[in-house]
Amino acid sequence: RGDASESGRGAVGSGRVPRTPHERLLAGLFAEVLALGEHEVGADSDFFALGGHSLLATRLISRLRAVLGVELPLRALFETPTVAGLAAELGSADATSRPELRPAARRPGDPLPLSFGQRRLWFLYRLDGPSATYNMPLVLRLSGALDRDALRAALGDIVTRHETLRTVYAEGADGVPYPRVLDPADVGAVSDPRVVEAPGADVETLVAEAAGHRFDLAVEPPLRVTLFATGDEEHVLVLALHHIACDGWSLRPLSRDLATAYAARLAGRAPAWAPLPVTYADYAAWQGELLGDAADPRSLAARRLDHWRRALHGVPELLHLPTDRPRPAAASFRGDHFSFDVDAEMHAALVGLARSRGASLFMVLHAGLAALFTRLGAGSDIAVGTPVAGRTDAALDDLVGFFVNTLVLRADTSGDPTFAELLGRVRENALGAYANQDLPFEHLVEELNPVRSPAHHPLFQVMLALQNAPTGHFGLPGLRVRGVRVPTGTSRVDVTFSVEERRGADGCPAGLEAVVEYATDLYDRDTVADLAGRWVRLLSAAASAPETPISRLPVLAEEEHARLTRAGDGCRNAAARDITPAGFPALFAARVWECPDAVAVMCGEVELSYRELDERANRFARALAARGVGAEDVVALVLPRSVAWVVAVLGVLKTGAAYLPVDPAYPAERIAYLLDDARPALVIDDPAQVDDTADFPATDPDMPIDPAQAAYVIYTSGSTGRPKGVVVSHTGIASLVASQIDHLRLGVGSRVLQASSPSFDASFWDVCAALLSGAALVLAPVDDPLAGLRDARVTHATVPPSALAAVPEGTGTALETLIVAGEACPPELVARWAPGRRMINAYGPTETTVCATMSTPLDASVAGNPPMGQAIINARVYVLDAALRPVPPGVPGELYVAGPGLARGYLGRTALTAQRFVADPYTPANQPGTRMYRTGDLARTTRDGRLEYLGRADNQLKIRGYRIEPGEIETALTTHPAIAHAAV
Ligand code: AMP
Ligand code: MG
């Protein structure tokens, strides 16, 4: 295969001369199909090197059928694409069993058959009424002296010649459509252009209107001609055509016939053209005969169906790609389009890749699209539709009519194949599809009977077309003719990628021109532009390194990659702030110094000032230190929410040790487990131990604390069924508090409710929010924590959505700021609670020091799940794929968190720690070696940079604020009555 140059047609005419009769015949057919001179094809000439593609291949096969009466499999052409190679294959090709396409004897009044494709369009018309969704406007700008009479006559000639253009489809009494061909005598009514004098006008809108005519197929022929006269020598000719009478491959005969007829009429003659060999009605009848009865297993229809049933078995109903808007229950078919180019160099590279793998350019484009969709979260079973000319018999070449068929191509991208491997799979699939292309799509849909929905196209929602229909060339004498693309404002499927090849004079790749038509129900222009950009980026990398696994091909622009992984303005990760990590005691001491007399704790009627609280904590810390408690010790606090508990937490932190909160309401079994696993140096389970410290001085013990020391150990679920202790240091506390002060507007005078169980890290969040900002911590009643929400003193409260949902509507509260955290917050709760106050969504796992992201105040009028907001100060969040690369906006990925708040790990579980806390590949250059925490949460970023929570990657549950991993349900149910109760 290495004979010709890598790109373009090269090596034409060189090499051996065809010798055997088969070789000579094939050389002649190659030349005919490829529009080359006969001398340009040698015995070793390669069909694809000469510019062949799959559609021309189909044509070659059909020519062989007509000339030799043999059925050469298309695959043979792909496998031995040279003249000599194919000539050898011809010997073993089967004789064709196809019926011949012939003009049928037609008596006046005989009902005309409809083709399968027409039947579907007619059906859609009956369903939706007249619409422009299936219009194919042809708009020509004519400059020069136009002879209107000649044009009128020429249009009449065309409509006379092509029956399809003067056929109406009235419904008979039996509900069946009857095509009725208008008599040529009445043709003027169809072909006479409506002439609109619009001198100097900008006719764009008028043209779009004319092109978007809604054909009433039952009474109106599917062609409507309008001529806009914008100047003496300037006209715009609009042929609004309905797809029922036309397709892309009809443009060639249409343009050729119009040119011939116009030239003849100018000269005062009727066009002298050969009559068409068959009519569309002959084709429709032949199609029925060819396919036969699908119920007969020997029929072509049955054999084709057999292929397609196997090929499409289990194909997903819907291709899930990120959209800008949710899919409406019924598609409006409104659409828009976006154009882009691919340069000659890349075009050549793609052609080169195709040729080196025995594939076509189309297959390369298709493999690229499938790989892209997989990378965009669509899974590994990707179906797209593609049009094929459907003119499988050469007698159809000169007809204007609807012959195009749609093939469903399915790509299996599973197992992370290299691009080359994927191309091989795509090629196999395509060859099978081409070989079975004569089963009409409509027939297939009827037989496969996939879920039919007005919301989406059946079997595929994305189309790919390599437009190699010979482009119509409207050479009208005396006129300069330019085709104008008119947006139809419609889109039949979600997205259609149409690519056209440009070839230089020597046949060399000269670039690709692509148009993406998209449903505006789903997409915005920018998103489609991004999609196109990603496709090109991926293909470009694949062309230069086809052995790259598809997971490693780039889909993001460098700038995007940077934005998604780094911090800075306009990023989800705010620019780093210079906050020096400090120990909790030092941060608290600063508040005591600033506002010693402000209220620090409120519990019922009891109030403690900052100074009082500090003194009690100092005494307790000294008492602990006297018992040898210090850095890296764990002190278990088995205390209910109380002033003593607050003093104890502060006291332990002041010694430099870590506290382990244990809710005394826990079952004895669970408490025993926690104490056994954490091996605390000391267990405090009596408030008296905290309060009886009169012997110790009230001055600060001033223990030097390295922020890397452990501050607390909090147990969360463990996938093994055993809860695990998360060891959190002081490093993230200063940044957390700075974020709380910013987002929650905290300070002296604020009163922060503490309602969550002391065993949850939410309690640490409350303590920080109050005692490190100068606010007061208001302790909720132990037996009815939600009563705290009615406490008129409270200004700030953090509540899990499930608890908030249990608060009866109309419950009065003076809350200024309500934080929902711990679980996804349903939109109804936002609608109910956001009005009149700042409501904020806070997200974070225990492993990141309670909180990783916080939203701005939620807007009750915005539908959908509340946003997660931005990373808190100095934290970074990434949404990554399985290979730890950032996923594009809109694509679900796993959420990772990095920054000073990362926990040290799991107590005594190094292996588990190493699994969840991994190296951060996006560490800023000045912080080498940092880690990131793999949260197990699924999220995506929206195009405008918001972060959206999507759920869990595993089956972890949150019940009553407690994390339960799949392996742990049993234990959780038996050891945690609250969970068991909620679960029931
Ligand atoms: P925990 O470590 O017990 O706080 O649990 C952390 C997990 O709770 C996260 O990984 C999420 O699955 C879930 N979670 C916490 N906050 C939110 C939130 N605001 N929205 C959705 N899920 C959340
Ligand atoms: Mg939490």
Side-chain angles (χ1 to χ4, degrees), residues 761 822-824 841-846 937 949 952 958 963:
D761 63 350
E823 304 150 343
N841 182 23
Y843 159 88
T846 305
D937 288 308
Y949 182 79
R952 289 289 306 178
K958 226 33 194 313
R963 261 155 67 171

Side-chain angles (χ1 to χ4, degrees), residues 323-456:
T323 58
D324 293 303
R325 282 171 288 285
R327 184 180 294 277
S332 75
F333 299 111
R334 274 191 287 271
D336 203 344
H337 70 276
F338 169 83
S339 312
F340 66 97
D341 290 341
V342 169
D343 64 23
E345 192 188 339
M346 180 170 157
H347 181 193
L350 296 175
V351 168
L353 172 62
R355 295 220 29 240
S356 70
R357 306 279 160 172
S360 64
L361 175 63
F362 175 84
M363 293 168 187
V364 170
L365 296 175
H366 177 207
L369 208 54
L372 175 65
F373 290 169
T374 296
R375 293 290 301 280
L376 297 183
S380 59
D381 189 349
I382 311 281
V384 303
T386 194
V388 287
R391 298 178 188 239
T392 50
D393 194 294
L396 301 174
D397 285 358
D398 295 334
L399 266 63
V400 171
F402 178 19
F403 301 97
V404 66
N405 191 19
T406 308
L407 302 183
V408 189
L409 300 177
R410 192 176 182 187
D412 169 15
T413 62
S414 64
D416 196 16
T418 65
F419 190 83
E421 272 174 73
L422 176 60
L423 182 56
R425 294 181 195 176
V426 160
R427 176 185 181 277
E428 271 310 296
N429 181 273
L431 288 177
Y434 296 148
N436 290 277
Q437 64 172 285
D438 37 20
L439 186 76
F441 179 73
E442 310 47 51
H443 202 331
L444 181 65
V445 171
E446 257 163 50
E447 292 290 337
L448 291 188
N449 198 20
V451 176
R452 237 69 69 81
S453 157
H456 62 79

Side-chain angles (χ1 to χ4, degrees), residues 758-830:
S759 271
F760 292 158
D761 63 350
S763 65
F764 183 71
W765 157 274
D766 294 331
V767 167
C768 290
L771 301 184
L772 301 184
S773 76
L777 188 68
V778 183
L779 303 181
V782 172
D783 47 0
D784 184 11
L786 287 178
L789 286 176
R790 292 193 300 271
D791 188 328
R793 298 171 298 179
V794 171
T795 58
H796 290 69
T798 303
V799 186
S802 56
L804 196 60
V807 178
E809 209 148 341
T811 302
T813 168
L815 276 181
E816 288 162 16
T817 304
L818 173 62
I819 301 108
V820 275
E823 304 150 343
C825 184
E828 322 67 275
L829 283 182
V830 179

Side-chain angles (χ1 to χ4, degrees), residues 657-911:
Y659 75 95
L660 164 70
V662 181
D663 190 333
Y666 275 174
E669 203 183 328
R670 184 174 199 86
I671 295 178
Y673 169 78
L674 296 183
L675 297 182
D676 181 55
D677 190 70
R679 310 230 152 260
L682 195 64
V683 178
I684 306 293
D685 53 5
D686 180 355
Q689 292 168 279
V690 184
D691 293 333
D692 297 348
T693 53
D695 297 349
F696 295 93
T699 49
D700 199 310
D702 265 336
M703 293 298 297
I705 290 173
D706 178 343
Q709 278 169 224
Y712 59 85
V713 179
I714 282 195
Y715 275 75
T716 74
S717 61
S719 48
T720 52
R722 292 186 304 138
K724 54 192 190 267
V726 182
V727 183
V728 180
S729 75
H730 296 257
T731 47
I733 298 173
S735 292
L736 173 68
V737 172
S739 302
Q740 288 180 319
I741 291 172
D742 268 18
H743 275 78
L744 312 179
R745 298 202 182 148
L746 284 163
V748 178
S750 306
R751 285 173 296 270
V752 179
L753 183 67
Q754 204 292 295
S756 68
S757 158
S759 271
F760 292 158
D761 63 350
S763 65
F764 183 71
W765 157 274
D766 294 331
V767 167
C768 290
L771 301 184
L772 301 184
S773 76
L777 188 68
V778 183
L779 303 181
V782 172
D783 47 0
D784 184 11
L786 287 178
L789 286 176
R790 292 193 300 271
D791 188 328
R793 298 171 298 179
V794 171
T795 58
H796 290 69
T798 303
V799 186
S802 56
L804 196 60
V807 178
E809 209 148 341
T811 302
T813 168
L815 276 181
E816 288 162 16
T817 304
L818 173 62
I819 301 108
V820 275
E823 304 150 343
C825 184
E828 322 67 275
L829 283 182
V830 179
R832 200 163 114 200
W833 288 90
R837 64 176 59 83
R838 291 164 62 83
M839 183 169 180
I840 288 184
N841 182 23
Y843 159 88
T846 305
E847 287 86 342
T848 65
T849 315
V850 199
C851 180
T853 72
M854 260 192 261
S855 72
T856 51
L858 302 177
D859 183 345
S861 64
V862 175
N865 294 326
M868 297 175 78
Q870 279 204 326
I872 63 164
I873 293 170
N874 290 333
R876 296 184 304 280
V877 291
Y878 314 122
V879 183
L880 305 179
D881 65 17
L884 302 188
R885 262 184 311 263
V887 292
V891 178
E894 197 171 334
L895 198 66
Y896 288 77
V897 180
L902 245 61
R904 293 209 318 217
Y906 301 114
L907 187 64
R909 317 249 183 119
T910 24

Side-chain angles (χ1 to χ4, degrees), residues 522-574:
L522 303 175
Y523 294 103
D524 292 330
R525 187 183 180 77
D526 288 349
T527 306
V528 174
D530 277 354
L531 195 61
R534 300 191 198 300
W535 189 32
V536 172
R537 197 170 298 122
L538 183 145
L539 278 171
S540 163
S544 53
E547 298 301 341
T548 313
I550 58 170
S551 70
R552 285 210 237 124
L553 292 169
V555 293
L556 292 172
E558 265 170 48
E559 163 279 318
E560 262 184 309
H561 188 282
R563 190 157 40 80
L564 290 168
T565 53
R566 263 179 243 148
D569 286 342
C571 298
R572 191 172 53 239
N573 299 324

